[in-house]
Amino acid sequence: MTNNAPPRLPKDPGQKKLYVAAGSALAVLIVAALGVIFVLPAGFQPNNSPVTANNPAATETAGAKHTATAAPDQSARRERTDAEAEVEQHRITAEMLLSDVLRKQTALESDGIKIWGAEQLTTSYSEALDILATANTSFDEARYTEAAAEFRKVLTILDTLDASKDERYGRAMADGNGALAIDNAESAVPAFTIALALRPNDPSAAAGQARAQSLPDVLKSMEQGRRLEISGDLDGAYQAFKSAVVLDPTYRPAQEEARRTGQLVADRDYMKFISEAIQAIDGRKFSSAAKALSAAQKIRPETHELAELSERLRDERQAAQIGGLSLSARQSAAEENWEKAAAHYKRILSMEPTVAVALNGLRRAERMIRLHRQIAVYLDDPDRLSSNGPLEHARQVLRAATASENKGPRLARESARLGDLVAAASRPRTVILKSDGETAVTIYRVSHFGSFTEKRLELRPGKYTAVGSRPGFRDVRIAFRVSGTGEPTTLVVQCTERI
């Protein structure tokens, strides 16, 4: 589908001028082309007068006539061409300046010049727009020299405005802060709007704008607080003044009123909490006493009476806690729950590092924890006992368990199981190896046996790996376990898969 509607000029005046300038350039090129087609050939039209060697007079007359006619025409054309070239050069210059203006204007408008450039200092943005309108008119009327001069003025003004950003920011901040100082929100808001337009991410400008916008609500809360205090509602007055501080933490009148009324409320509440704490300590209600003292401490953290009550609460609460933990630790030890007993003793020592009962109890609990863990290593993996080193260590652990003075039912059961495992691991078991007489057999950590058809050997219970190899055949690897009970272990190792 083809759209035959004529192209529309952009609404933006600067962009419109670019379209007009482009159209003007196209028109000049068309005129020049027509001149080449229709004017220049006229100078080369042939003379109809006969000119031959037999008619020299005619030749001389024709030549003189042609020279007299062609010279003025060519001179006039050259003058017109030079003038047109000069006009074209001025137009191009004006277009280039207009392009510079549009780029600069676009950049500054993206920086908010419509906001911060409105105020007249040495110049203003409206002044630049007025001269730009005049320049556009000059350009439309083909007064390109005037248009270029006016575009240069616009560029100068825009550069001046760009260079004035810091000064304008400083003036806007001063105006905004001055307005805040006299509670004038109507003047402060636009001032900080200008500052933020100049420096969008500036924290001082953003803070000033926030203060200016919240100022009406701050003043309303201040008035409410005064009315409530007069009516005797001290808590309400304090909350109102505090709300004003929340709205603007830097507003000094709100800070002062909130501090004053807050102190009155604190004095009243402090005495109330001290009284509650004393009663709770006497009744051994330590949580309630701590809560009351904490509330009083938030009001007056360093008073002498608060320090004495806090120390009394700490001592009585600690004595009660140590007594309870000691009882729990003894019960856990009696149940052979040594991990839990150790945790209780550690809590006691974290409160009072010199409690002898806790020190001795922790040492005993940790010793028993280590013993049970060592036993568990072999109970969980009896095959470890197939090696001499672990087997000897298991015997040492078993002797320590047997000699322990804290031997309860749990330790007795685990010691008995470990003793059975050690006894079984100490008795070698018969293992029957069978092969094909061609396969060389090796048992890791035992020996290399070579080729055979059947071989008997004695191995302690545990896990082993047998490997068979035979030239031309793929090796075989067999993991097997020798049990401490039951029939002898029989294992067939032979290579049967050809390579």
Side-chain angles (χ1 to χ4, degrees):
M1 181 176 180
T2 304
N3 187 1
N4 296 321
R8 298 179 63 184
L9 290 176
K11 294 182 180 180
D12 183 88
Q15 294 182 359
K16 179 178 179 182
K17 295 309 167 195
L18 287 177
Y19 280 95
V20 172
S24 299
L26 180 60
V28 171
L29 291 175
I30 293 172
V31 171
L34 291 175
V36 171
I37 295 172
F38 295 104
V39 177
L40 291 180
F44 299 95
Q45 291 296 325
N47 192 340
N48 292 327
S49 299
V51 179
T52 65
N54 297 325
N55 191 2
T59 302
E60 181 179 354
T61 301
K65 182 178 179 181
H66 176 73
T67 301
T69 303
D73 290 343
Q74 292 176 359
S75 177
R77 282 196 297 273
R78 280 197 300 272
E79 290 177 358
R80 287 196 301 274
T81 301
D82 291 343
E84 291 171 355
E86 183 177 0
V87 170
E88 177 64 11
Q89 184 59 47
H90 289 323
R91 183 189 62 77
I92 293 173
T93 300
E95 282 184 349
M96 293 176 64
L97 289 169
L98 174 58
S99 178
D100 292 341
V101 168
L102 292 177
R103 280 196 297 270
K104 187 70 173 180
Q105 181 186 21
T106 300
L108 288 176
E109 286 191 352
S110 68
D111 288 342
I113 193 173
K114 291 182 179 180
I115 298 174
W116 55 262
E119 182 182 1
Q120 179 75 30
L121 295 182
T122 56
T123 185
S124 66
Y125 187 50
S126 60
E127 181 179 351
L129 293 178
D130 291 341
I131 298 176
L132 179 59
T134 303
N136 287 336
T137 301
S138 298
F139 190 94
D140 289 342
E141 296 174 356
R143 290 183 281 112
Y144 300 124
T145 302
E146 296 178 19
E150 289 157 351
F151 286 141
R152 289 189 181 94
K153 289 181 182 179
V154 174
L155 282 173
T156 300
I157 293 174
L158 293 179
D159 288 338
T160 301
L161 287 169
D162 194 10
S164 70
K165 286 181 179 179
D166 289 341
E167 180 184 359
R168 291 174 181 271
Y169 169 80
R171 291 171 64 95
M173 290 296 293
D175 292 344
N177 288 325
L180 286 178
I182 60 174
D183 295 340
N184 186 349
E186 293 182 357
S187 298
V189 170
F192 287 118
T193 300
I194 292 174
L196 281 174
L198 286 160
R199 298 183 186 179
N201 297 321
D202 184 70
S204 298
Q209 182 73 302
R211 288 193 63 201
Q213 291 173 345
S214 65
L215 183 55
D217 291 333
V218 170
L219 296 177
K220 181 179 179 181
S221 294
M222 292 294 292
E223 180 60 27
Q224 181 184 17
R226 294 186 186 97
R227 289 198 306 268
L228 290 171
E229 186 176 6
I230 292 173
S231 67
D233 186 356
L234 187 60
D235 291 302
Y238 171 59
Q239 291 299 325
F241 291 132
K242 195 162 69 169
S243 296
V245 173
V246 171
L247 290 169
D248 184 358
T250 62
Y251 187 65
R252 188 172 298 277
Q255 293 175 348
E256 294 173 351
E257 290 302 305
R259 187 180 301 112
R260 181 182 62 82
T261 54
Q263 188 60 50
L264 294 174
V265 171
D267 292 343
R268 179 198 66 196
D269 292 344
Y270 175 79
M271 295 309 301
K272 171 177 171 291
F273 292 134
I274 289 295
S275 177
E276 291 177 355
I278 293 173
Q279 294 176 3
I281 293 174
D282 291 342
R284 300 183 64 81
K285 298 177 180 179
F286 300 126
S287 296
S288 298
K291 184 177 180 181
L293 287 178
S294 177
Q297 189 174 26
K298 291 177 181 178
I299 300 171
R300 294 182 185 174
E302 297 181 356
T303 65
H304 178 70
E305 58 189 346
L306 183 60
E308 288 184 347
L309 285 174
S310 297
E311 184 177 359
R312 179 187 169 192
L313 172 62
R314 183 171 56 253
D315 292 343
E316 296 196 19
R317 169 182 269 179
Q318 180 174 298
Q321 288 178 332
I322 289 175
L325 289 171
S326 296
L327 177 61
S328 298
R330 289 194 298 272
Q331 290 175 345
S332 298
E335 297 168 358
E336 294 184 274
N337 188 343
W338 299 107
E339 288 81 2
K340 193 171 182 180
H344 291 317
Y345 288 129
K346 286 179 180 179
R347 286 191 60 191
I348 294 173
L349 293 173
S350 68
M351 293 183 288
E352 182 54 62
T354 61
V355 177
V357 173
L359 289 171
N360 295 331
L362 180 60
R363 282 194 292 268
R364 183 174 64 257
E366 289 177 342
R367 186 170 59 252
M368 295 306 297
I369 290 172
R370 285 193 300 271
L371 179 60
H372 280 284
R373 287 176 179 173
Q374 289 172 338
I375 293 174
V377 168
Y378 300 108
L379 296 184
D380 294 339
D381 187 10
D383 291 333
R384 292 171 60 90
L385 299 174
S386 62
S387 298
N388 292 329
L391 179 60
E392 180 57 31
H393 181 258
R395 292 189 180 111
Q396 295 175 4
V397 171
L398 184 59
R399 286 194 293 270
T402 303
S404 175
E405 61 183 14
N406 298 298
K407 191 171 184 179
R410 175 190 171 193
L411 182 59
R413 289 193 303 272
E414 293 178 357
S415 298
R417 289 179 57 196
L418 180 59
D420 292 342
L421 291 174
V422 169
S426 301
R427 294 191 300 271
R429 302 286 296 169
T430 299
V431 176
I432 302 172
L433 295 179
K434 294 184 177 182
S435 187
D436 53 10
E438 302 290 337
T439 299
V441 179
T442 299
I443 297 180
Y444 286 158
R445 296 186 296 112
V446 178
S447 181
H448 174 69
F449 300 104
S451 302
F452 56 84
T453 56
E454 182 173 316
K455 181 178 290 291
R456 288 176 173 264
L457 61 152
E458 300 295 317
L459 297 177
R460 287 206 301 266
K463 293 180 180 178
Y464 298 88
T465 300
V467 176
S469 60
R470 177 183 178 185
F473 290 79
R474 191 176 303 280
D475 291 353
V476 295
R477 181 184 300 267
I478 302 173
F480 66 98
R481 184 176 186 277
V482 177
S483 175
T485 60
E487 298 297 324
T489 300
T490 301
L491 183 68
V492 177
V493 183
Q494 57 187 19
C495 299
T496 59
E497 183 181 353
R498 290 186 177 273
I499 299 176

